[in-house]
Amino acid sequence: ISTQSSACLAFDGENRALKSKIERTEGVISQRESAITGLERCVHDMVSLRDQLSQRIKEDELTRTKLYSTITDLRGNVRVICRVRPLSTTTTSKEANISYPDFEEREIEIAMDSSPASSSPHAGHCVFPFQFDRVFQPQSSHEQVYNHVAPMVEHAFAGSPLTIFGYGPPQSGKSFTLEAGLVPLVIQDVCQRCQELERTKGWRYTVALQLLGIADEVLYDLFLESETHETTMTAESARNQENALLNIQHGADGTTTVSGLSTIILNHNNFSMDNVVSLMERASRMRSLVSKPSRCHSTYMIRISGKRKDGTSLKEDSTSAILNLVELAGSANVSEPDTVRSEASSSSVSTPTQRSNAKDDLYDKDQSLTCIMQVLFALSNKESRIPFRNSKLTNLLQHSLAPESMSLGGPGTTPKILMIAHVSPLESQVAETLNTLRVAAKINACVLGTPGGNSNIGANNGSNASTTSLNKVRRT
């Protein structure tokens, strides 16, 4: 009995200890339940704050986009830059007398002597001045040129189409600037921007690359060749693929597609410049098969599409953009440089008939460039009929050139157009250089969208598109 009593007392002690422990545990549980309730309220508040901040970020992004769009519109929706190609290390030709008089690198002057046989009282040393948004000298790098283009690429992510034209006579450096420079740099920049937006904003992007060749108004798929037969494809088979398969189609939503055109999906999360260089080499081989490179327009189309889950609903935000980089076929050579010299030795005041003849002469140099200029002039003058169908190229770029009011793309689709005039530094090509700069001066006078965007620049090139700086010659 004594043993049992001792055991019972021990059990009572343990029981009281356990009850005390249970009470303490229940107290801890109660405190933790209160803490959990507080945390749940905090999480609810944080989720609400997150949704508010997400909405504010979207509104701020929209505001920033609108402000940036306003800034770019004020700078002009049509911009013109000039690039003088580097002098080849193997050339023995004499350099032209080209100078860059301003510190801001926006002016270029071509100096030459008029014909010694001229009897004009204005004969002598003549200077042809031109002013553009930017002039890049021969020593400029691809990166420097792209730094001028990059803000326009950023604007394209807001939904505004961007079209970059590279034009000029043969041997003026168009392929050097576009194929070896801007195209790889644009693709690299687009992939990096997609990675950053996916990481920070939750977007999911798809980047697609297409390359269309146009020679003699015939469409060619310049990415068609495959690794299995690219070495055996003949020029005849390449030309035969011109096809009924390729067809330009305009959608009701303001998009343009080419049915049957090869599409390469770029892995922007594993970008490699080597892959892009390989694509450029492949396209160059194909272009040489379908036509002479100087007769074939190359249009690189970079299509970007993105989606993002909305933080406050099950809906998805979506965006799309297209960037066109067009290397125009080489404009016709001017075989009579004396015509320029005779113009330099004539009176600086030209009659309307002379200006009209000069305009017609410039247009006849390159039919495709003529069609582009006709479209830009018609858009600038707000004409009721825009001649998009005058060429396959302008038909392809119809929705990338038409302003928002004429396009079906919806708000925010004001197009941006950049013309890059390429000129040679050689004296033997000074006639082609002047003609290229004159065309650039005409285009620089075009105003799309917000009035006044290009007017301050065009003012130094003449009062209107037909009286540009090509008629301004300084004689010393």
Side-chain angles (χ1 to χ4, degrees), residues 22 27 41 59 81 104 111 124 131 150 161 167 230 268 294 300 303 329 332 376 397 407 423 436 445:
I22 289 172
R41 287 196 300 267
E59 293 173 354
I81 64 176
E104 295 181 345
Q131 182 178 4
Y167 79 96
E230 66 179 66
H268 54 276
S294 61
Y300 295 87
R303 301 181 185 273
L376 293 180
L397 300 175
S407 173
V423 297
T436 299

Side-chain angles (χ1 to χ4, degrees), residues 251-316:
D253 58 351
T255 60
T256 300
T257 58
V258 181
S259 60
L261 187 64
S262 300
T263 301
I264 296 177
I265 304 299
L266 299 176
N267 183 359
H268 54 276
N269 288 316
N270 190 22
F271 174 80
S272 171
M273 185 64 79
D274 292 338
N275 293 339
V276 176
V277 172
S278 177
L279 287 175
M280 297 301 101
E281 293 174 349
R282 173 176 165 183
S284 180
R285 290 194 300 270
M286 191 65 180
R287 185 167 56 246
S288 64
L289 290 175
V290 301
S291 174
K292 291 182 179 180
S294 61
R295 295 177 57 86
C296 181
H297 308 300
S298 300
T299 304
Y300 295 87
M301 293 174 284
I302 304 173
R303 301 181 185 273
I304 309 167
S305 58
K307 293 182 179 180
R308 178 179 63 176
K309 276 289 183 66
D310 193 319
T312 59
S313 68
L314 297 179
K315 294 182 179 180
E316 282 189 331

